[in-house]
């Protein structure tokens, strides 16, 4: 799927909800003459919970606090709760300074003037982030996010159970895998990403009704091969561990982590286009601690921090100067050449069609949502 617009993420915030709370320091962060933001002693950052939070603390946040003396308040959560809070604040003393957001939420927030544009004056490391990624977060010359963790959706498979490793999305239809394919609904991020990848693999585009029809017809042919319809990463891992599923669309870093944990699982980057699953840093408009927010986003965008996070998460990163470990370089596709080939979900099309696509997906496969 080829996207024609620079502003190519979405009006849809997919997802999971976790309780989250937090508040920033009050007060005007700009100087009296509208110049540099005032200095404060705190920064509030919203991150994904669980292992992601543990990894970002270890790779960056704990050391940033020690190096700068700035108190880092970490709040775990997801886009689904952050966006409404940004909207409610409307650029006036928001609850967060820095948030890690998905592309669809970045577009919604930027379009609503809820994000602080980024520039190399305040975030120097922005200049070293891959252009093919940063172009996705640029509108009318303004940059609204700093790309960070470059997850890529491909095919996870049990190496001990699969005789012929997959090389492309349409390999899911191979008779060898019949009865052991797991596939997620478009209501789950991996499912929507797979659906987008499949449209492109079949030579179509999401904004063409005939191409979407063709994709659903192809999915219907997979019904007899499907064993399960997982709606979260934990379920996918369980299916692979039990051997119920031999092959399933999944993210590269998650799959490599399973392999390092002892599961005999491999990962294939489909030659017809892995799908981007990118986590990026943003600064809330009206950030109460704007000077510290700039410092933190710049720190998170540095090659040393990104390498540390990559070592822990097993994902590729966005800074071109990251020196990856030999182990990661052997497994993960990174760099501008690789990132240029990624398929990106066209959320501007997916958003208004998600309910219809989900119903048609259920009709085609007969699975739960």
């Amino acid at each position: 799927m080829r996207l024609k617009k620079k502003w190519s993420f979405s009006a849809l915030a997919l997802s999971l909800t976790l309780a989250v709370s937090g508040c920033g320091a009050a007060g005007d962060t700009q100087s009296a003459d509208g110049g540099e933001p005032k200095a404060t002693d705190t920064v509030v950052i919203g991150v994904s919970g669980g292992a992601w939070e543990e990894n970002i603390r270890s790779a960056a946040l704990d050391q940033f606090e020690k190096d700068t003396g700035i108190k880092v308040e970490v709040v775990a959560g997801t886009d689904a709760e952050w966006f409404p809070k940004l909207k409610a604040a409307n650029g006036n003393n928001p609850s967060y300074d820095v948030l890690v957001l998905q592309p669809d939420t970045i577009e919604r927030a930027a379009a609503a003037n809820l994000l602080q544009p980024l520039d190399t004056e305040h975030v120097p490391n922005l200049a070293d982030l891959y252009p093919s990624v940063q172009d996705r977060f640029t509108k009318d010359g303004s940059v609204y996010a700093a790309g960070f963790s470059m997850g890529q959706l491909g095919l996870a498979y049990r190496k001990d159970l699969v005789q012929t490793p997959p090389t492309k999305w349409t390999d899911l239809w191979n008779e060898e895998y019949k009865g052991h394919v797991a596939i997620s609904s478009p209501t789950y991020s991996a499912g929507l990403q797979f659906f987008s990848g499949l449209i492109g693999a079949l030579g179509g585009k999401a904004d063409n009704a005939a191409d979407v029809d063709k994709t659903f017809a192809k999915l219907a042919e997979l019904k007899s091969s499907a064993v399960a319809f997982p709606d979260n990463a934990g379920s996918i891992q369980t299916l692979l561990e039990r051997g119920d599923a031999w092959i399933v669309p999944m993210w590269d870093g998650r799959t490599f982590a399973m392999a390092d944990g002892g599961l005999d699982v491999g990962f294939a980057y489909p030659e017809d286009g892995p799908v981007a699953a990118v986590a990026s840093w943003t600064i809330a408009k009206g950030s109460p601690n704007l000077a510290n927010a700039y410092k933190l986003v710049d720190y998170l965008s540095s090659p040393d921090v990104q390498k540390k996070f990559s070592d822990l998460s097993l994902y590729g990163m966005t800074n071109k100067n990251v020196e990856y470990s030999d182990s990661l370089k052997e497994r993960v596709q990174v760099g501008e050449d690789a990132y240029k080939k990624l398929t990106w979900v066209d959320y501007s099309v997916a958003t208004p069609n998600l309910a219809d696509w989900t119903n048609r997906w259920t009709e085609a496969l007969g699975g739960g949502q």
Side-chain angles (χ1 to χ4, degrees):
M1 180 171 60
R2 185 174 64 253
L3 305 181
K4 295 182 179 179
K5 297 180 180 179
K6 265 190 161 186
W7 182 255
S8 53
F9 22 103
S10 99
L12 170 70
L14 293 170
S15 249
L16 313 168
T17 57
L18 289 174
V20 56
S21 64
C23 62
D28 183 7
T29 61
Q30 294 297 128
S31 63
D33 62 0
E36 289 300 309
K38 293 181 180 179
T40 59
D41 60 2
T42 303
V43 65
V44 181
I45 181 171
V47 303
S48 304
W52 212 97
E53 178 184 356
E54 294 175 8
N55 290 341
I56 197 61
R57 282 181 181 272
S58 178
L61 301 183
D62 293 344
Q63 191 62 47
F64 177 82
E65 193 170 52
K66 293 177 182 177
D67 290 347
T68 64
I70 296 169
K71 181 180 178 182
V72 180
E73 296 182 10
V74 182
V75 184
T78 64
D79 295 41
E81 187 160 356
W82 292 330
F83 179 74
K85 289 193 173 185
L86 288 178
K87 192 172 181 181
N90 195 28
N92 182 22
N93 197 31
S95 300
Y96 314 94
D97 299 300
V98 177
L99 287 168
V100 64
L101 298 177
Q102 303 303 309
D104 55 315
T105 310
I106 294 168
E107 182 199 7
R108 282 211 300 173
N113 195 30
L114 301 177
L115 297 179
Q116 177 72 24
L118 306 179
D119 56 49
T120 53
E121 177 184 354
H122 295 100
V123 187
N125 281 309
L126 207 63
D128 290 329
L129 305 188
Y130 287 112
S132 63
V133 178
Q134 288 306 111
D135 281 352
R136 300 282 171 167
F137 306 129
T138 301
K139 180 183 181 181
D140 299 331
S142 294
V143 178
Y144 290 94
F148 183 66
S149 175
M150 292 295 299
Q152 299 178 59
L153 189 85
L155 292 168
Y157 61 96
R158 280 285 298 267
K159 294 167 66 176
D160 55 334
L161 299 175
V162 168
Q163 295 182 1
T164 309
T167 61
K168 55 186 183 296
W169 289 117
T170 52
D171 283 345
L172 286 172
W173 280 257
N174 287 356
E175 284 294 315
E176 178 186 338
Y177 310 145
K178 192 170 185 177
H180 296 284
V181 174
I183 180 173
S184 301
S185 160
T187 57
Y188 178 45
S189 54
L192 182 58
Q193 289 162 15
F194 164 67
F195 186 72
S196 299
L198 183 59
I199 291 175
L202 296 176
K205 294 189 290 186
D207 59 359
N208 186 301
D211 292 339
V212 173
D213 291 343
K214 179 181 178 181
T215 303
F216 278 113
K218 185 67 174 178
L219 276 174
E221 298 173 6
L222 194 61
K223 183 175 181 178
S224 61
S225 294
V227 66
F229 310 97
D231 62 1
N232 61 75
S235 296
I236 290 175
Q237 180 166 342
T238 298
L239 288 165
L240 288 168
E241 288 174 342
R242 291 177 178 174
D244 296 334
W246 294 357
I247 186 168
V248 57
M250 188 53 165
W251 299 293
D252 52 354
R254 287 264 193 173
T255 305
F256 298 137
M258 284 189 276
D260 288 352
L263 186 61
D264 196 7
V265 63
F267 183 83
Y269 291 94
E271 59 189 27
D272 38 11
V275 183
V278 185
S280 304
W281 299 113
T282 62
I283 296 178
K285 189 78 171 182
S287 161
N289 304 288
L290 182 57
N292 296 341
Y294 282 139
K295 290 178 184 177
L296 182 53
V297 170
D298 189 55
Y299 186 76
L300 293 165
S301 301
S302 68
D304 289 345
V305 165
Q306 291 204 4
K307 180 196 182 323
K308 291 175 183 176
F309 188 84
S310 178
D311 288 343
L312 294 169
S313 68
L314 306 180
Y315 284 117
M317 307 302 292
T318 58
N319 191 304
K320 65 183 181 182
N321 297 317
V322 173
E323 296 183 2
Y324 296 99
S325 66
D326 290 340
S327 174
L328 189 136
K329 285 190 294 185
E330 292 172 357
R331 297 189 287 184
V332 182
Q333 292 186 0
V334 298
E336 186 71 349
D337 288 343
Y339 296 159
K340 281 181 179 178
K341 298 174 183 176
L342 289 174
T343 294
W344 290 68
V345 177
D346 188 347
Y347 288 102
S348 66
V349 176
T351 299
N353 288 290
L354 185 62
D356 177 59
W357 286 358
T358 301
N359 289 333
R360 294 183 67 181
W361 182 94
T362 303
E363 292 173 1
L365 292 167
Q369 296 182 22

